[in-house]
Amino acid sequence: MLRRLSARKTFLIVGLLTMLAGCQSAPPASQDTLYNDLGERHGIARFVKDMLYIVVEDDRIAETFRGVDIASLHRNLTDQICHLANGPCTYNGRSMTEAHAGLGIDETDFNALVEDLILAMEQNQVPVSAQNRLLNRLARLHDQVVRIPEARPTTH
Ligand code: HEM
């Protein structure tokens, strides 16, 4: 059985990170320790793998991942996080908008994935400050991933 963060805690974390993402910038690459603090590429690959194990068992979002090439997703997500952490990786996947177009991802799905990522980082003893710095950088991609529902036409 999966241990879950409470919905309230996730909501607070995601809300706070989204706010912070708007006003914080990453330090210059030369002073950025995030890549090392996440355990370099092999550490990132480990918690991404554990996150994907959690995701495919997570009833809230597992359906979205049905039929997806998980090995390729693992590689691309690892490279993307490595790159966001200013590590020596090149991300070769699609843009976030392109990769998530048509998946209909909403706020609740986004929060569920963040929660699964936090659990995976906790399982891998990623220091909390490094977790928060990574979540902050991921929060900046929120608007490229979450589909804003189109306004319903008004009928008079
Ligand atoms: C900041 C948050 C997120 C990041 C950084 C992210 C990152 C990525 C990356 C790097 C890929 C691979 C793209 C490629 O192979 O070209 C991907 C694909 C995918 N993501 Fe996300 N993702 C995020 C949020 C989500 C959420 C919330 C969901 C659903 C709950 C989701 C579902 C998927 C699925 C199903 C694919 C595979 C699409 C396909 O192969 O056609 N992602 N994502």
Side-chain angles (χ1 to χ4, degrees):
M1 173 125 144
L2 285 177
R3 193 164 61 87
R4 292 243 166 100
L5 298 176
S6 71
R8 183 176 155 73
K9 191 170 169 195
T10 309
F11 181 77
L12 288 172
I13 292 169
V14 175
L16 187 65
L17 289 166
T18 309
M19 263 166 35
L20 285 174
C23 55
Q24 268 191 4
S25 54
S30 59
Q31 295 164 27
D32 193 356
T33 61
L34 184 56
Y35 176 66
N36 284 329
D37 297 343
L38 292 174
E40 303 186 346
R41 196 182 185 286
H42 65 277
I44 298 169
R46 240 191 342 248
F47 70 71
V48 169
K49 180 187 75 187
D50 288 345
M51 183 198 81
L52 290 172
Y53 278 130
I54 297 172
V55 160
V56 297
E57 294 279 312
D58 184 339
D59 295 342
R60 298 169 299 176
I61 51 175
E63 189 61 29
T64 315
F65 290 85
R66 191 188 286 262
V68 165
D69 178 346
I70 294 290
S72 156
L73 180 56
H74 176 259
R75 187 181 54 251
N76 280 337
L77 200 46
T78 301
D79 282 337
Q80 189 195 40
I81 291 176
C82 172
H83 176 74
L84 285 172
N86 268 317
C89 306
T90 307
Y91 172 64
N92 291 310
R94 290 164 288 169
S95 73
M96 288 298 91
T97 312
E98 208 184 331
H100 300 93
L103 295 178
I105 296 169
D106 66 15
E107 213 63 62
T108 315
D109 301 327
F110 190 87
N111 291 353
L113 189 96
V114 168
E115 197 178 303
D116 293 347
L117 173 60
I118 294 171
L119 287 176
M121 290 195 290
E122 282 182 359
Q123 277 175 17
N124 285 275
Q125 283 91 43
V126 175
V128 172
S129 87
Q131 292 186 26
N132 289 341
R133 278 177 285 149
L134 174 61
L135 292 171
N136 179 269
R137 293 182 201 186
L138 291 173
R140 289 177 209 157
L141 303 173
H142 169 278
D143 292 355
Q144 297 165 46
V145 170
V146 171
R147 190 183 69 91
I148 311 294
E150 283 169 30
R152 286 208 204 129
T154 46
T155 48
H156 293 286

